[in-house]
Amino acid sequence: WPRIIRGFHLAYAKLAALDEGEGLLRWGRAFEGKRGSADVLWQQFMDQVRAAASIGSLKGALRDLRQAVRTLKEEETDPLRVRLVGEIWVLMEPYANLGLEQFLGSSPDLRVWVDREVSPRHWVDLHLLHLPKARRRQRELERASLPYLRESVGGHGLETVGQTVLAGPEGIDGVIHLYPFTCMPEIVAQNILVHGARELDMPLLTVISSEQTGEAGVETRVEAFLDLLEERRVKGSGPLVLPGV
């Protein structure tokens, strides 16, 4: 039993380290002076996590990554803040979302700081470990969703609505909603958000993933969305909701 417990402890520590590391990667991509620098650091960190056999080595790898990412910052950068919401598999799997998170973070014309709350660690903290911090955030999302959605619709539908409602107060410029074709919880959320985003004055783009989804088409839509976010920031233009692709 002690070995099994230590194994679970190390597995969770790796999950938590990867979650924090991804957050640092998203920050690094937004603020790096030389494009691609954060991704190089991320690959080095991934190798360290794979090889880590103790909690101490994971903490050391995270400490090194934090210090290295800080050195990348370009002082004059003022990135757009874009929040990704939706179904967990499409959010997490680059094949399913056509590498959208990396595409956003590596945009050659505009700097984008990607915000993504849904992750395997978040799920474990909330549903398996019932950690107070995760439960507080869940209650916050539930309260935020109340004007639009009063009951859970399964999956991450409620979280999608709550995170979009809170996007403005949390400093987000725009929201991209990702979900697989025929995913009922996210379809419910999307129908709510079409109207809710206008009321909230929060730009929204929906991307539906299926075997027919083309990378070039998605990238073109996302580039147009980013341009409009930038124009909105500069000129203070009105609310924006783009149809799904």
Side-chain angles (χ1 to χ4, degrees):
W1 280 108
R3 292 181 62 184
I4 294 175
I5 293 172
R6 285 197 297 271
F8 275 114
H9 192 192
L10 180 61
Y12 177 77
K14 288 193 175 187
L15 187 68
L18 290 171
D19 193 67
E20 181 177 344
E22 284 187 327
L24 291 168
L25 170 65
R26 291 190 286 269
W27 187 92
R29 284 171 172 165
F31 291 97
E32 64 189 3
K34 181 181 178 182
R35 278 310 206 181
S37 300
D39 286 278
V40 172
L41 294 176
W42 171 249
Q43 290 302 321
Q44 296 171 352
F45 175 69
M46 287 282 286
D47 292 338
Q48 290 176 302
V49 171
R50 292 189 188 99
S54 68
I55 305 298
S57 57
L58 284 171
K59 290 181 178 179
L62 267 175
R63 182 175 59 250
D64 293 343
L65 181 63
R66 290 189 203 104
Q67 293 173 350
V69 167
R70 289 193 195 103
T71 67
L72 301 179
K73 186 173 182 181
E74 189 177 75
E75 295 298 334
E76 297 182 0
T77 300
D78 184 20
L80 293 168
R81 295 289 306 276
V82 175
R83 172 165 289 178
L84 301 184
V85 302
E87 195 273 333
I88 186 170
W89 180 73
V90 176
L91 286 173
M92 295 297 304
E93 175 52 57
Y95 179 79
N97 61 43
L98 304 175
L100 180 59
E101 189 168 315
Q102 183 172 10
F103 176 76
L104 286 167
S106 306
S107 174
D109 301 318
L110 293 172
R111 292 301 182 101
V112 179
W113 184 358
V114 176
D115 177 280
R116 172 173 55 78
E117 186 172 331
V118 173
S119 70
R121 182 197 180 180
H122 172 266
W123 191 92
V124 170
D125 287 352
L126 178 63
H127 297 288
L128 294 184
L129 301 180
H130 305 289
L131 297 184
K133 182 178 179 181
R135 294 174 68 182
R136 283 195 300 270
R137 178 59 172 174
Q138 186 67 14
R139 288 193 293 270
E140 186 178 14
L141 294 176
E142 290 170 356
R143 287 193 298 269
S145 301
L146 279 177
Y148 304 97
L149 183 62
R150 294 184 175 275
E151 300 290 340
S152 174
V153 291
H156 285 84
L158 187 145
E159 287 85 349
T160 293
V161 174
Q163 289 169 24
T164 303
V165 172
L166 293 175
E170 292 176 350
I172 302 298
D173 292 296
V175 174
I176 298 180
H177 181 201
L178 296 159
Y179 65 90
F181 183 62
T182 74
C183 177
M184 187 56 65
E186 297 300 332
I187 290 173
V188 172
Q190 193 268 340
N191 279 275
I192 291 171
L193 293 180
V194 165
H195 302 288
R198 291 191 176 96
E199 293 180 5
L200 297 164
D201 194 30
M202 176 53 57
L204 173 70
L205 172 66
T206 299
V207 177
I208 304 170
S209 176
S210 75
E211 67 274 11
Q212 303 299 322
T213 305
E215 184 173 353
V218 171
E219 290 182 355
T220 299
R221 301 283 298 186
V222 171
E223 287 173 347
F225 185 64
L226 296 179
D227 289 340
L228 288 166
L229 291 184
E230 180 69 10
E231 181 180 354
R232 174 187 170 92
R233 176 183 280 188
V234 173
K235 298 182 179 180
S237 56
L240 170 68
V241 178
L242 295 184
V245 293

